[in-house]
Amino acid sequence: MSSAFGAIDSEEKSLIETLTTILRLSKGLISISLVYGNTQSEVLSLALALLEHGYNPISLSNDLWTNLTDENGKVEQLSDILSPIGAPFRRVLAVSTIVPKPPLNWDGAAARFRQSKLLMMALENWTRQIFSYMMVPMMAKGRTPTPSEGGSTARRRQWSLKRLLIRRDGWISLVGKMMDDSAPPEVQPIRRGYAGVTLQASHIVPFSASGNSILRIMLSKYMGQDMEGLLTGENINDASNALLLDSVTHEAFGLFKFSIECQDGRYFFRRLAPTRKLHTFVLRHRDGEEINFGQASREVARPSSLLCNLHFTLGRVLWTSGAAENIARALADEDELKDGHVDGDYWHRVSASYLQRELRALSGLDELATNGQVDGRDSDADNHTTICT
């Protein structure tokens, strides 16, 4: 019996190795899709990308394991598949390693896991929560209010943030290389003949997070630390949560087509989307190019390494799993719906998804905000399960 994952064995594995092994051995053998608008995202691809590329894979694996062991029925089924070493199943932090339940090997354990409706439903619900309440809101448009919209307070705050970013990085955007049209005469564009544009203060974590307690809870789970203080009050509009970008590059950043990775206090440009999906402004930068924030002034906070790496790792998860394009397409369809350009059966699929997301945003989902939990049956994405033969 062969395995697409590698050698078949029964060796001990850590918790995260156990979960990634089961997911890798199951990809392509079973398909569970999250339907959002007119798109479908694969649960196993999403879950595996989170555990392999997420900011804190150990925290995510602990959270997934908690969801797999929170009921006696699930524990009973896991007990027929796996044997924990060091502690019982539910004492997740005390479990040292896990082995397949004899006489199973890892291929057999993965097969048994796939056959368990209870365990697969727990995996699906866990993935759906992250997809619906973190990934979609992080990509949804309306990320950053511009100085020309909103009330006077919002306009003042945006102008103030933009001035701080210009003071920190200068009149020319470090990513995109565009000059602000209000720059003084002595400032010259990078390339002759380039007209100035209105640069924007672009949030790394969207401004909407300050008013979305559910998103903040999900981001805290994703990061493995409390993100509440960083994303509320004045902190959401701090220079540490912003880049100076032109509107085209801002949109690409919001769709996670590129990101900024921070390593040891240094910043590196990272391409995430395929080259064919990148605008000329983004293509001016090679992957891995160092970006020197703060050269104009060290008195203004540089981008937060934590928030940069949140954006970078989440973008990597989105593009590795295929979810980025699906969410972007669904959100574009919602825009078409609002403009009245969608009709027929397609209108019903898009409008239902859009209405669900808007109603849940209004309701606030008090249960999740209070307990840090979401009922798996209530989500932005309906599910569709297909067993591949």
Side-chain angles (χ1 to χ4, degrees):
M1 183 177 180
S2 61
S3 165
F5 175 61
I8 299 174
D9 56 51
S10 301
E11 68 179 7
E12 297 180 12
K13 296 184 183 295
S14 66
L15 177 57
I16 188 168
E17 290 172 339
T18 295
L19 293 171
T20 54
T21 296
I22 289 173
L23 291 171
R24 286 173 183 167
L25 289 172
S26 298
K27 274 190 69 177
L29 299 179
I30 185 171
S31 177
I32 308 175
S33 298
L34 301 178
V35 178
Y36 179 48
N38 199 41
T39 68
Q40 296 185 19
S41 296
E42 281 292 321
V43 166
L44 269 68
S45 294
L46 275 168
L48 186 58
L50 283 162
L51 297 186
E52 289 184 330
H53 302 297
Y55 180 85
N56 193 330
I58 292 176
S59 175
L60 287 168
S61 65
N62 289 344
D63 189 53
L64 173 55
W65 189 257
T66 299
N67 280 263
L68 292 170
T69 58
D70 61 358
E71 296 176 3
N72 290 332
K74 298 177 189 176
V75 173
E76 289 174 3
Q77 294 195 17
L78 272 177
S79 299
D80 292 333
I81 302 171
L82 303 170
S83 296
I85 298 174
F89 275 114
R90 287 182 173 173
R91 293 183 59 195
V92 60
L93 296 179
V95 173
S96 58
T97 54
I98 298 172
V99 295
K101 186 73 173 275
L104 297 175
N105 56 28
W106 282 108
D107 268 63
R112 289 277 187 91
F113 190 96
R114 294 193 299 271
Q115 292 165 6
S116 169
K117 292 183 179 179
L118 202 57
L119 295 177
M120 293 304 293
M121 185 178 297
L123 173 65
E124 179 184 350
N125 288 341
W126 179 80
T127 308
R128 184 195 290 117
Q129 288 181 18
I130 296 174
F131 178 85
S132 300
Y133 301 114
M134 185 179 76
M135 292 180 172
V136 172
M138 284 291 287
M139 286 190 67
K141 291 185 178 179
R143 293 167 54 86
T144 306
T146 64
S148 60
E149 62 189 18
S152 59
T153 301
R155 287 197 298 269
R156 285 196 301 269
R157 286 176 177 171
Q158 284 307 107
W159 278 118
S160 176
L161 180 56
K162 178 178 175 178
R163 284 196 297 269
L164 277 176
L165 298 179
I166 290 173
R167 182 180 166 196
R168 181 185 75 190
D169 299 325
W171 292 95
I172 297 175
S173 58
L174 296 181
V175 179
K177 300 298 184 182
M178 298 301 292
M179 184 184 72
D180 189 73
D181 54 13
S182 62
E186 61 269 20
V187 177
Q188 296 297 316
I190 295 292
R191 290 174 175 81
R192 183 176 298 177
Y194 275 37
V197 299
T198 302
L199 296 180
Q200 301 174 351
S202 311
H203 289 81
I204 299 171
V205 174
F207 178 81
S208 59
S210 62
N212 187 337
S213 60
I214 295 87
L215 174 57
R216 296 196 302 274
I217 289 171
M218 296 307 293
L219 287 173
S220 295
K221 284 188 175 186
Y222 174 76
M223 300 295 286
Q225 58 186 288
D226 186 7
M227 300 295 290
E228 184 74 14
L230 280 174
L231 303 177
T232 52
E234 292 298 321
N235 288 334
I236 196 71
N237 266 334
D238 191 78
S240 62
N241 185 37
L243 308 177
L244 191 64
L245 302 173
D246 63 87
S247 61
V248 173
T249 309
H250 185 183
E251 181 179 10
F253 185 69
L255 293 175
F256 291 85
K257 292 184 177 182
F258 75 91
S259 191
I260 303 295
E261 183 184 17
C262 186
Q263 298 178 5
D264 300 322
R266 299 170 65 189
Y267 300 87
F268 301 93
F269 179 89
R270 297 298 183 194
R271 293 184 183 180
L272 298 175
T275 301
R276 60 185 173 82
K277 293 184 175 294
L278 298 178
H279 191 274
T280 305
F281 294 177
V282 178
L283 290 173
R284 290 172 182 165
H285 303 275
R286 58 178 176 80
D287 186 63
E289 177 183 334
E290 186 167 2
I291 307 295
N292 295 306
F293 295 104
Q295 281 195 323
S297 173
R298 290 288 182 175
E299 295 179 1
V300 179
R302 294 194 298 167
S304 162
S305 60
L306 186 70
L307 299 182
C308 284
N309 290 337
L310 183 164
H311 188 279
F312 168 62
T313 57
L314 182 55
R316 194 165 51 175
V317 169
L318 286 162
W319 284 97
T320 300
S321 66
E325 291 183 273
N326 289 338
I327 295 173
R329 191 180 309 124
L331 292 172
D333 290 341
E334 290 180 2
D335 286 343
E336 290 289 306
L337 171 70
K338 287 183 282 187
D339 289 338
H341 297 153
V342 176
D343 52 23
D345 179 59
Y346 188 50
W347 182 91
H348 291 288
R349 292 195 298 273
V350 176
S351 61
S353 174
Y354 174 68
L355 182 60
Q356 288 172 2
R357 189 165 69 84
E358 291 297 299
L359 287 175
R360 290 190 182 97
L362 289 172
S363 70
L365 292 172
D366 291 335
E367 182 180 356
L368 176 62
T370 303
N371 303 320
Q373 298 294 327
V374 178
D375 184 344
R377 296 166 296 179
D378 183 21
S379 93
D380 290 323
D382 299 320
N383 67 86
H384 172 71
T385 306
T386 304
I387 306 299
C388 298
T389 56

